[in-house]
Amino acid sequence: MSTSFLIQGTYMKLNFDGFSVPAASLSLFDIVIILVLVPLMDHAIYPLIERSGIKLTSLRRIGVGFVLSAASMLVAGLIEIKRRTVWQHGDICTQTVFNESHSASCFSIFWQAPQYLLVGSGEVFATITGK
C-alpha cells in the first residue's frame, strides 16, 4: 500500500516555490495522526463512547479500522483518476527527482494527505484495541 502511494506521489507535482517535497515524506501524515489519535482515543473518545451506552468491543474497533483503511484506498483511487485527468489535459510539470528529469502531473502531492491520514486512523482502530 505505501509503495503504491509513493509511486503515485512521484508522478505528482513535487516542486513548489523555492522548495521540493520528497514523495516519501508524506508518510509523516500517517505517523503524526497515530501519535495524536492514540492518546486522544484512549483518554477521551473511547470513554465518551462507552458513557453514551455504545459497547465498542475490540472486534468493532478492528472493523472500524478496516473501513477507514478501505476508505483510504477509495480516496487514493479518486486522486489517481484526478491526477491522470490533469495529465491527459496537458497540465504537465517537468521536475528533477534523484538528479533525473521526469514529467509529472501538475496535481499537487499534498492531495495525498487525506489518504495517509485515513490509513493512520485505520491503524489506530485496527491494531491498537486498548487491551
Side-chain angles (χ1 to χ4, degrees), residues 1-118:
M1 165 175 58
S2 62
T3 302
S4 299
F5 289 0
L6 181 62
I7 292 169
Q8 181 185 45
T10 58
Y11 289 100
M12 298 174 83
K13 182 179 178 183
L14 302 171
N15 299 320
F16 299 93
D17 295 328
F19 70 96
S20 180
V21 178
S25 67
L26 262 69
S27 65
L28 288 174
F29 285 106
D30 180 23
I31 295 164
V32 169
I33 198 69
I34 290 171
L35 290 174
V36 169
L37 279 184
V38 167
L40 183 68
M41 297 300 285
D42 207 28
H43 297 294
I45 305 298
Y46 289 152
L48 184 65
I49 291 172
E50 291 290 328
R51 273 187 258 136
S52 70
I54 299 171
K55 182 80 170 133
L56 197 56
T57 64
S58 296
L59 193 55
R60 287 182 182 165
R61 291 180 191 181
I62 291 169
V64 169
F66 286 171
V67 168
L68 289 172
S69 295
S72 172
M73 294 301 111
L74 178 65
V75 169
L78 293 172
I79 289 171
E80 181 63 15
I81 290 168
K82 179 65 176 174
R83 184 198 65 80
R84 287 184 53 83
T85 302
V86 168
W87 172 280
Q88 290 170 343
H89 284 93
D91 198 6
I92 299 171
C93 299
T94 303
Q95 56 194 10
T96 304
V97 179
F98 299 121
N99 296 324
E100 293 181 11
S101 185
H102 293 281
S103 295
S105 171
C106 285
F107 195 57
S108 172
I109 192 168
F110 290 111
W111 281 100
Q112 282 190 316
Q115 66 196 47
Y116 280 103
L117 293 172
L118 284 168

